[in-house]
Amino acid sequence: MSLEVRLQSRLGDFEISAEFAAGAGVTALFGQSGSGKTSILKMIAGLIRPLSGRIEAGGRMLFDSEGGTDLPPPQRRVGMVFQDARLFPHMSVSRNLTYGRWAGKRDSRADFGRITNLLGIEALLDRYPATLSGGEMQRVAIGRALLADPALLLMDEPLASLDQERKREILPYLEEVRDETGLPIVYVSHEVDEVARLADTLVLLSDGKVLGSGDAVDMFSKLEFGPALGRHEASSLLSGTVSHIDQQYGLCAVTLDGDQRLYIVSDRVAVGDRLRMRIKARDVALSLEAPSGVSVRNVLPATVRSFARDESPFVEIVLDISGQALRARITRHAFDALGIQPDLPVFAMIKSVAIGQRMLSGRK
């Protein structure tokens, strides 16, 4: 399944011009409030009509201004999940789940038992929304969207109304939906943690324009997008496999793609798990020599790929760690003292405690 979007629109004085393409998995529309994320999502759903452009999902043309195609929302086979669950309070969970396909008059091919098992809501079927937690309600809302037999799933900041505990509860289920359904999922968020954990493709938006789009790991490593991602949130996404768990010290060894080893603190992983880890640039220190007698458990040989220096007190650096990109932010004073230049071999130091559990995700 694939999604192709090219559209132009004007909402009052606000102009939107967006073009991007994505395949199965999660495409994150990321940007600050007012960047046009939700408006683009509503255009894909058919709730707002663009001035011009085209939207194609899974080989079906949903909108084409030149060809005269503009399918109404019920015919677009789009599942929509909003910030709030929008469940019917007078209906049981079971009836809420099947309402979408009944209202859309669809003979859904989605298996009811498989979806409820996937989302862990089998025990909730006879309950009513008033008795559910926020996380449970959102899981039911996602199930309702999936059971309506969508060709495309749209999520408009589905975790925004949840507290941190509820977010931790529901994120693994979102990963299961991403990995098991094969649907293109367009996910709107302004939370870097969510994007880093879930996204396969990242579309970076600002003032209604696409600054860039592509593989999420690559996008995070590009220095030119640092300001849009947020200076304090600039990060790298490293991938690897859990190879050993030290129960005595509570440390997990992750063998990175490229064979270097990274130690993290987590009680939620098992040997063999594939992980994507988010490491903030401000948590990476550099040394010209392999340090000894330090508390930092992660000392990784690296090579300087590139850097961006401006009038701020900091310099952004991209390192190569056995083929993966790692960002570091150091002061201009340290940059000059170390003599940083492209292809310089260095050692990157990362505290294990800096890779928090909110920054971990299982990847199949």
Side-chain angles (χ1 to χ4, degrees):
M1 300 292 286
S2 61
L3 172 68
E4 295 183 15
V5 173
R6 177 172 52 83
L7 51 83
Q8 293 77 40
S9 188
R10 179 187 292 273
L11 304 174
D13 294 330
F14 186 67
E15 293 186 4
I16 292 178
S17 178
E19 182 173 354
F20 60 90
V26 174
T27 298
L29 304 186
F30 178 84
Q32 300 306 311
S33 296
S35 60
K37 306 183 300 295
T38 296
S39 296
I40 292 172
L41 204 72
K42 289 181 177 179
M43 291 181 206
I44 297 172
L47 303 178
I48 297 177
R49 191 183 192 281
L51 290 176
S52 63
R54 67 197 302 270
I55 303 169
E56 184 177 345
R60 295 177 66 241
M61 192 63 67
L62 308 185
F63 175 81
D64 184 359
S65 57
E66 294 183 0
T69 300
D70 185 13
L71 297 183
Q75 294 181 23
R76 295 197 177 198
R77 288 186 60 203
V78 168
M80 191 88 176
V81 181
F82 299 91
Q83 291 184 23
D84 54 335
R86 304 191 183 188
L87 302 181
F88 295 105
H90 62 288
M91 292 184 181
S92 67
V93 166
S94 181
R95 289 188 63 197
N96 267 285
L97 286 169
T98 56
Y99 178 83
R101 63 183 178 188
W102 173 81
K105 299 179 180 179
R106 299 174 187 167
D107 294 325
S108 177
R109 292 166 292 180
D111 183 271
F112 186 89
R114 174 174 174 264
I115 295 300
T116 56
N117 179 67
L118 180 70
L119 294 167
I121 54 177
E122 310 99 312
L124 308 179
L125 298 180
D126 294 329
R127 291 168 58 180
Y128 285 79
T131 70
L132 304 179
S133 70
E136 289 171 337
M137 285 193 287
Q138 282 299 79
R139 280 189 275 153
V140 174
I142 294 168
R144 179 175 60 188
L146 292 174
L147 285 166
D149 193 29
L152 175 66
L153 189 61
L154 307 180
M155 294 187 167
D156 187 11
E157 302 204 49
L159 307 186
S161 63
L162 305 180
D163 59 30
Q164 292 302 327
E165 187 59 34
R166 300 289 81 75
K167 287 182 180 181
R168 283 193 289 270
E169 168 195 318
I170 200 171
L171 274 167
Y173 293 104
L174 293 179
E175 291 174 340
E176 287 293 319
V177 170
R178 175 199 64 200
D179 295 338
E180 297 296 332
T181 64
L183 288 173
I185 301 171
V186 182
Y187 189 96
V188 165
S189 180
H190 63 271
E191 292 289 339
V192 178
D193 276 346
E194 293 175 26
V195 172
R197 179 162 179 166
L198 294 172
D200 299 288
T201 301
L202 174 60
V203 179
L204 195 57
L205 292 163
S206 179
D207 296 324
K209 306 293 189 297
V210 174
L211 299 181
S213 64
D215 178 81
V217 174
D218 292 339
M219 290 289 291
F220 266 82
S221 70
K222 292 184 177 180
L223 292 174
E224 63 266 32
F225 298 134
L229 288 169
R231 181 175 292 277
H232 295 293
E233 297 294 342
S235 312
S236 308
L237 305 181
L238 298 184
S239 299
T241 303
V242 178
S243 54
H244 178 71
I245 297 177
D246 188 326
Q247 300 290 352
Q248 179 181 357
Y249 291 107
L251 285 177
C252 303
V254 180
T255 300
L256 300 175
D257 298 345
D259 293 334
Q260 294 206 54
R261 181 169 286 191
L262 189 70
Y263 291 93
I264 65 173
V265 178
S266 178
D267 58 2
R268 302 184 181 185
V269 299
V271 171
D273 280 356
R274 287 281 298 162
L275 299 183
R276 173 193 278 181
M277 294 152 289
R278 178 182 170 215
I279 300 172
K280 292 185 178 181
R282 65 185 183 185
D283 290 328
V284 179
L286 303 182
S287 173
L288 296 179
E289 300 177 355
S292 61
V294 295
S295 64
V296 178
R297 298 297 86 189
N298 296 305
V299 179
L300 306 176
T303 304
V304 175
R305 280 190 189 177
S306 59
F307 56 83
R309 182 173 183 169
D310 54 27
E311 297 305 314
S312 77
F314 305 101
V315 180
E316 300 284 337
I317 302 171
V318 175
L319 307 170
D320 186 285
I321 305 285
S322 297
Q324 296 195 65
L326 177 68
R327 293 181 68 148
R329 178 184 301 126
I330 64 176
T331 64
R332 281 194 290 138
H333 183 279
F335 178 87
D336 289 339
L338 293 175
I340 298 296
Q341 57 186 334
D343 300 323
L344 180 72
V346 295
F347 291 89
M349 296 177 288
I350 311 163
K351 288 184 177 181
S352 296
V353 295
I355 310 172
Q357 292 190 21
R358 285 179 60 200
M359 300 179 188
L360 299 179
S361 66
R363 307 291 293 188
K364 292 193 174 182

